[in-house]
Amino acid sequence: MSQTTETSEKVDVFLQELAAIQQSGSKRIAILGSRHVPITHQHLIEVMSYALVLGGNRLITSGATGTNSAAIRGAMRADPNQLTVILPQSLKRQGKESRKQLDQVMHLVEHPEHDELSLAEASANCNLEIISRCQQLICFAFHDSHTLLQTCRDAEDQRKIVTLFYFD
């Protein structure tokens, strides 16, 4: 009996993922990833986010340097109105370089109530909010990126389409 239930659940998951992939029209796609990204990878992420937004998708990310910053640059070039950036803490807690970029973002969500949390705790909360708002997650991580890998597991638990790229 439990084998039948397990098989049925796998078929349901497969069908949901297939329907999401085949969906025409725009999707809400989250891009998250490591801060420590080689510049060549940042260019690829920027081009991908640019293409996703030009394709009519709405992009959601956070405000850190590296992956998220590259995603912001690409989305801003394509259509700034299709980008939402959700910060783990308030804007004042972001680095100077990030703040300069984030000042240009039209749809910016801050969480000053998380300023007293560690960045890891605030980021985990932020990532949960981001995946709750998206249909698909694209994540760029290292094998020891614990917070990002947990975010991918959380997204899978919510039956989101997850594409995970490893830098190492």
Side-chain angles (χ1 to χ4, degrees):
M1 178 81 166
S2 69
Q3 187 176 17
T4 303
T5 304
E6 186 176 311
T7 302
S8 177
E9 288 176 5
K10 286 181 181 178
V11 169
D12 287 346
V13 168
F14 173 76
L15 290 174
Q16 287 174 346
E17 289 178 354
L18 183 61
I21 290 168
Q22 291 177 329
Q23 171 189 344
S24 59
S26 67
K27 293 182 198 168
R28 291 178 315 278
I29 300 174
I31 296 181
L32 295 173
S34 176
R35 299 168 187 270
H36 311 288
V37 182
I39 192 72
T40 54
H41 290 82
Q42 287 184 41
H43 288 298
L44 291 171
I45 294 165
E46 184 176 339
V47 168
M48 181 181 62
S49 67
Y50 176 76
L52 286 169
V53 171
L54 279 183
N57 298 292
R58 181 151 190 78
L59 197 73
I60 308 166
T61 192
S62 193
T65 59
T67 299
N68 301 342
S69 180
I72 292 168
R73 283 193 305 273
M76 293 290 287
R77 267 192 318 132
D79 184 352
N81 196 44
Q82 297 293 51
L83 171 67
T84 299
V85 176
I86 301 173
L87 300 178
Q89 297 170 317
S90 65
L91 183 59
K92 69 180 180 181
R93 295 291 306 257
Q94 305 305 305
K96 184 178 180 180
E97 179 183 327
S98 292
R99 278 197 312 264
K100 183 177 178 183
Q101 182 184 45
L102 294 169
D103 282 341
Q104 308 302 311
V105 174
M106 293 168 40
H107 305 288
L108 182 68
V109 179
E110 297 181 63
H111 286 288
E113 69 276 14
H114 295 160
D115 282 355
E116 299 306 316
L117 297 176
S118 71
L119 181 57
E121 290 174 306
S123 293
N125 290 337
C126 178
N127 290 353
L128 284 173
E129 180 178 349
I130 289 170
I131 62 173
S132 75
R133 293 182 180 212
C134 76
Q135 295 166 292
Q136 180 175 356
L137 170 64
I138 301 171
C139 187
F140 297 87
F142 292 94
H143 281 86
D144 63 351
S145 301
H146 302 292
T147 301
L148 289 169
L149 296 178
Q150 182 60 50
T151 299
C152 289
R153 287 189 291 273
D154 292 339
E156 288 171 341
D157 290 346
Q158 293 182 30
R159 299 189 189 273
K160 308 290 178 156
I161 298 171
V162 176
T163 305
L164 175 58
F165 295 99
Y166 287 103
F167 291 120
D168 56 355

